[in-house]
Amino acid sequence: MKMPLVIIGSGHAGYTLARAFRQHDTSTPVVVLTEDGGEYYSKPQLSHGFGHQTSAAQLIQNSATGMAAELKIMVRPHTRVTAIDFAAQKITAGAAQIPYSDLVLAVGAKPFVPPIEGDGAQDILTLNNLEQYRRYFDTLNRSEHVLVIGGGLVGTEIAHDIAQHKRVTLVDIGSRLLERLVPEPVSQRLHSVMDQVTLRFGTVVARIDKVAKGYSVTMVDGVKLTVDAIICTAGLKPRLDLTAGLEIQRGIVVDSYLRTSQAHVYALGDCAEIEGQILPYLQPITLSANALASTLAGKPTPVHFGPLPVAVKTPRYPIQLAGLTQGSNLDWQINEGDDGLTALAHRDNKLVGYVTTGSRNGFSLLPTLMR
Ligand SMILES: Cc1cc2nc3c(=O)[nH]c(=O)nc-3n(C[C@H](O)[C@H](O)[C@H](O)COP(=O)(O)OP(=O)(O)OC[C@H]3O[C@@H](n4cnc5c(N)ncnc54)[C@H](O)[C@@H]3O)c2cc1C
């Protein structure tokens, strides 16, 4: 009997790979193992589901059983892989040992929560899967005042979203929202549109103590506030708990063919560091899955990434960006009208990135960035 292709993880990376592989090969058995419920859902919806009062159940587009039937694969939900024997080409999940012909790690990332003192710190919410969304949704619905830690992409999106129904304070160590993604004038416009959110910059949360009703939060600068819920969006770290025997740096190190340092073992998605880059977005994951599916079907194919467009889901002030938009050595040209703003980033007189806002759309500039 043919050994299966084994995929660990049922997120965008795992399922997109399984789907792409089935387009090349309908006979090799494919097994997807996942420690979660194996439901198919769109993770970007997590950051704007609360505003629409969409429950976790409503976000699910297909069940594990439905995915198995649709893709003609085996899906084993609630199955945590605990060890990999690279020499024998088999994995351990509970009492089971499963052999593989090829193994793909699509294990994603874990939310990073900075060290915070106090007995309330253990109740900090994070938002990186359906289970976490369930807790976030229920807790926020019982809350009046919510603290968001982190003003990057996800923190900005959820603060904007939650503020439709709740009082929100956002705290960030930097000096403005999206500091590492957009030039200052774009952040300033966003701040004025998000005037219903209290923004606190240049400080961090030092401790969180449980009080009779909610939490008392103390910042390092001594400022105190009382909130009912705290959500941390301070970033994600690739999951590296299955990597003994693999080369790792910030993520699982892979080349442009998504090959790890072990034969027949590949990685993609939020857990992978592809030629030095971690690209935790859907489009690079889809490109990686398509290339890897061809490779696994017998046609070695490297992945190529052009400049990746990113949309910030802040409907009151929509923002799109692509290419290089951070770094002090960029020369920005900004023009603004009633329909929005266009910021072009140049380096050595060459267009290297852009940010557009409002109804302006920078997609026509993408081919220029690719040159
Ligand atoms: C709130 C939010 C909003 C976002 N918005 C956007 C957006 O607008 N646009 C965009 O492009 N990107 C966005 N992203 C990023 C994008 O959603 C992710 O990059 C992508 O979904 C990651 O997919 P993944 O499959 O690599 O990881 P995950 O979805 O995290 O999947 C990892 C899988 O591995 C499984 N797993 C882990 N360890 C084990 C183990 N030991 N045994 C068994 N199973 C295991 C888990 O159960 C899970 O199924 C957003 C992310 C978040 C959190």
Side-chain angles (χ1 to χ4, degrees), residues 57-110:
Q58 288 168 323
L59 285 178
I60 296 171
Q61 295 171 25
N62 206 347
S63 63
T65 319
M67 289 305 287
E70 183 189 331
L71 302 178
K72 298 187 172 46
I73 60 176
M74 180 188 281
V75 180
R76 294 178 66 161
H78 307 297
T79 304
R80 181 168 156 68
V81 176
T82 49
I84 306 170
D85 183 336
F86 297 113
Q89 288 193 209
K90 62 183 182 194
I91 59 154
T92 304
Q97 300 234 320
I98 301 165
Y100 61 81
S101 54
D102 289 297
L103 174 68
V104 179
L105 300 173
V107 291
K110 272 189 173 166

Side-chain angles (χ1 to χ4, degrees), residues 9-10 12-13 34-36 43 79 81 106-107 127 270 280 282 313:
S10 62
H12 185 69
T34 181
E35 69 178 3
D36 62 24
K43 194 178 282 195
T79 304
V81 176
V107 291
L127 192 58
D270 283 6
L282 300 186
K313 301 183 289 294

Side-chain angles (χ1 to χ4, degrees), residues 8-14 33-38 41-47 79-82 106-109 127-129 153-154 157-158 236 239 241-242 268-271 279-285 309-311 313:
I8 309 176
S10 62
H12 185 69
L33 298 138
T34 181
E35 69 178 3
D36 62 24
Y41 70 102
S42 163
K43 194 178 282 195
Q45 289 194 11
L46 300 186
S47 53
T79 304
R80 181 168 156 68
V81 176
T82 49
V107 291
L127 192 58
N128 191 41
N129 58 39
L153 187 68
V154 173
E157 289 181 350
I158 66 165
L236 294 173
R239 284 188 70 152
D241 34 352
L242 277 178
L268 81 166
D270 283 6
C271 64
L279 298 165
Y281 295 104
L282 300 186
Q283 186 178 338
I285 296 176
V310 175
K313 301 183 289 294

